[in-house]
Amino acid sequence: MASLQSSSVIGSLAYSSGRCRRGMTRAAINMPKLRTGAGGLSLRLPARDLVQEVLDMGIGLSAATTSHVEKKYQSSTVSNVSDPMVIAKLHEIMEAVADRVEMHKNIGEQRDNWNSLLLTSINAITLTAATMAGIAATNVGGPLMALKLSSTLMYLAATGMLVVMNKIQPSQLVEEQRNAARLFKQLHCQIQTTLSSGNPTSSDVEEAMEKVLALDKAYPLPLIGVMLEKFPKTVEPAVWWPQHRRRQEGRTYGNGWSVELEEEMREIVGVLKRKDTEDYLRLGKIALKVNKILSISGPLLTGMAACGTAFVGSSHAPWAAIVGVVAGAMASVVNTMEHGGQVGMVFEMYRNNAGFFRLMEETIESNLNERDVGRRENGELFEMKVALQLGRSLSGLKNLAASSSKKGEAIDEFASKLF
């Protein structure tokens, strides 16, 4: 009796498992066979075949499920894979930018050495020539001619060296290379961020190339032919970025932007134009005038000293000796003020500061003039970036905009708290 019950249970299990596998892999289950023996009925259970089929069914389901998930994952990630060529191009640009950083850094150090060595050498030559002119005024005979000739030649050499030094302005060249190295490092970090935080596109490659070429044009390495004018007729802010395209003003809001934020940014732009940019251009004009006066005075004084030394020992000996000695001493003072005080570097610093504020103005205006708000930078992040660049908190930035809207051009506060 127990054998018959077992047979019915196993038969029903096999039937139900066969129905559950409909549409999948079919397998035949051997039904138990009854045999008549001496001791009565006996049953041989197909336990091994049944367990094996159940395991095979589980493995088949698992394989099918895994294959389906893998295909779905692959299809969902294909669209997120960046173009390998775009990534390769950005890496090439990064290598070029890193090389430029080292180039500008090394050349900046070299030109800083020029400034210190030329200043020391010219002052030493000038003071030596003045000393020899004074000694020549107290001597007669053979030594007089030798001292006069030596002093005159040294003054002429100092004059020529001063003309060249004042033309290239080594301290200003150093500031140019220092700014170029800093801006190329900034560009290098921007490219790294583009590669690590999203899917770079061909437009990112074009933008990076334009920035590199704009920096090369703004801060050239050669001295002959493409060197920046050290005494320009008009003082303009330095420009080291590609020009933004102007777009029509948008009237929709989103992406962190609102009417209040747009009005706040417009007020910030107004303060930057009226106060910060204008003030640094004014200071740049003053530094340029001072540098021009000193650049003309140095060679003029050494030239006068050379002429005075040439007449030492003649009928005009007292006045010639005075001119030769005093003009030489004054030339050393003027040269120290100009190149020791690095007036050219100060002018370049003011010009670059004005360029920094001009870049902020154009960046804000390009976002405000963008019709598609979705293509703007996120409003909240952009506000925080502007506040950090100006050295202000978010509340301080809002207070500045509110004060500008009330007072207008009468506001006496600068936008930047950094410099």
Side-chain angles (χ1 to χ4, degrees):
M1 188 66 182
S3 299
L4 292 174
Q5 289 177 352
S6 299
S7 175
S8 63
V9 170
I10 293 173
S12 63
L13 177 61
Y15 178 73
S16 62
S17 64
R19 293 188 62 184
C20 292
R21 295 195 308 274
R22 180 173 300 172
M24 300 176 59
T25 306
R26 292 183 170 273
I29 300 179
N30 295 325
M31 297 300 293
K33 297 181 181 179
L34 295 176
R35 292 190 304 175
T36 304
L41 293 174
S42 64
L43 178 66
R44 185 173 65 183
L45 299 177
R48 184 176 180 181
D49 293 340
L50 178 60
V51 172
Q52 185 65 34
E53 288 195 28
V54 172
L55 291 176
D56 292 342
M57 180 180 68
I59 293 172
L61 284 171
S62 176
T65 305
T66 303
S67 177
H68 177 70
V69 171
E70 288 179 352
K71 289 180 180 179
K72 184 176 180 180
Y73 175 77
Q74 290 176 358
S75 63
S76 64
T77 56
V78 165
S79 59
N80 294 330
V81 175
S82 301
D83 187 358
M85 183 57 66
V86 171
I87 296 177
K89 289 180 180 180
L90 285 177
H91 279 290
E92 289 293 333
I93 295 175
M94 281 180 60
E95 292 180 5
V97 169
D99 184 59
R100 279 170 169 78
V101 170
E102 291 299 320
M103 289 170 60
H104 284 281
K105 181 180 177 182
N106 295 336
I107 292 179
E109 293 176 355
Q110 178 194 47
R111 291 173 181 177
D112 189 31
N113 292 333
W114 286 1
N115 187 62
S116 58
L117 292 174
L118 286 173
L119 173 62
T120 304
S121 300
I122 293 174
N123 279 347
I125 292 173
T126 304
L127 292 175
T128 302
T131 303
M132 295 176 70
I135 295 173
T138 60
N139 286 281
V140 292
L144 173 63
M145 183 59 64
L147 291 171
K148 284 174 53 178
L149 183 60
S150 299
S151 179
T152 302
L153 291 176
M154 293 178 74
Y155 273 134
L156 292 176
T159 302
M161 294 173 67
L162 270 176
V163 169
V164 175
M165 190 176 183
N166 293 342
K167 176 66 176 178
I168 65 175
Q169 292 291 315
S171 64
Q172 188 170 344
L173 292 174
V174 173
E175 183 66 15
E176 291 174 7
Q177 306 311 314
R178 190 182 296 120
N179 286 321
R182 178 181 61 84
L183 293 170
F184 272 116
K185 285 181 181 179
Q186 187 180 38
L187 178 58
H188 190 271
C189 293
Q190 291 175 358
I191 299 175
Q192 282 183 329
T193 303
T194 302
L195 286 171
S196 61
S197 64
N199 297 323
T201 61
S202 58
S203 61
D204 295 322
V205 176
E206 294 176 0
E207 182 181 0
M209 284 291 295
E210 290 177 357
K211 288 182 178 180
V212 171
L213 296 177
L215 280 171
D216 288 340
K217 182 180 179 181
Y219 301 103
L221 289 172
L223 294 179
I224 301 175
V226 295
M227 183 181 68
L228 296 180
E229 178 60 43
K230 298 301 180 287
F231 302 98
K233 296 180 179 179
T234 58
V235 179
E236 296 291 338
V239 178
W240 60 82
W241 60 91
Q243 296 299 312
H244 297 283
R245 290 190 301 172
R246 302 292 181 184
R247 292 183 173 89
Q248 296 180 359
E249 185 176 355
R251 297 185 181 276
T252 57
Y253 303 97
N255 193 25
W257 287 88
S258 62
V259 180
E260 293 78 10
L261 181 57
E262 287 194 355
E263 292 299 326
E264 177 185 340
M265 289 296 108
R266 288 192 178 92
E267 293 296 335
I268 297 300
V269 170
V271 176
L272 287 172
K273 288 181 177 179
R274 293 191 302 268
K275 301 296 293 184
D276 298 76
T277 305
E278 195 66 30
D279 188 65
Y280 275 105
L281 289 178
R282 179 183 62 83
L283 293 174
K285 292 177 182 178
I286 295 174
L288 180 61
K289 289 180 180 179
V290 173
N291 200 23
K292 282 182 178 180
I293 294 172
L294 294 175
S295 297
I296 295 173
S297 300
L300 182 62
L301 288 171
T302 52
M304 290 174 58
C307 293
T309 304
F311 289 101
V312 172
S314 63
S315 59
H316 304 286
W319 291 106
I322 292 173
V323 171
V325 174
V326 175
M330 290 180 64
S332 297
V333 174
V334 170
N335 190 32
T336 302
M337 290 176 61
E338 180 183 5
H339 300 289
Q342 299 188 349
V343 181
M345 182 274 292
V346 174
F347 166 69
E348 184 64 23
M349 182 185 66
Y350 287 150
R351 199 174 71 92
N352 277 280
N353 289 345
F356 171 76
F357 294 123
R358 179 65 59 83
L359 175 60
M360 287 193 66
E361 295 170 15
E362 292 190 6
T363 303
I364 296 173
E365 289 176 346
S366 66
N367 276 275
L368 294 177
N369 294 336
E370 176 60 64
R371 172 178 288 275
D372 185 2
V373 182
R375 296 180 62 182
R376 298 181 183 178
E377 297 184 45
N378 182 273
E380 296 180 5
L381 293 178
F382 185 72
E383 183 183 20
M384 183 180 68
K385 183 175 75 172
V386 172
L388 289 173
Q389 289 178 338
L390 296 178
R392 290 178 175 270
S393 63
L394 292 176
S395 59
L397 195 68
K398 294 181 184 297
N399 293 335
L400 175 65
S403 178
S404 175
S405 63
K406 291 179 181 179
K407 298 181 180 179
E409 296 185 1
I411 187 174
D412 56 355
E413 185 179 5
F414 289 90
S416 176
K417 292 288 187 180
L418 292 178
F419 48 84

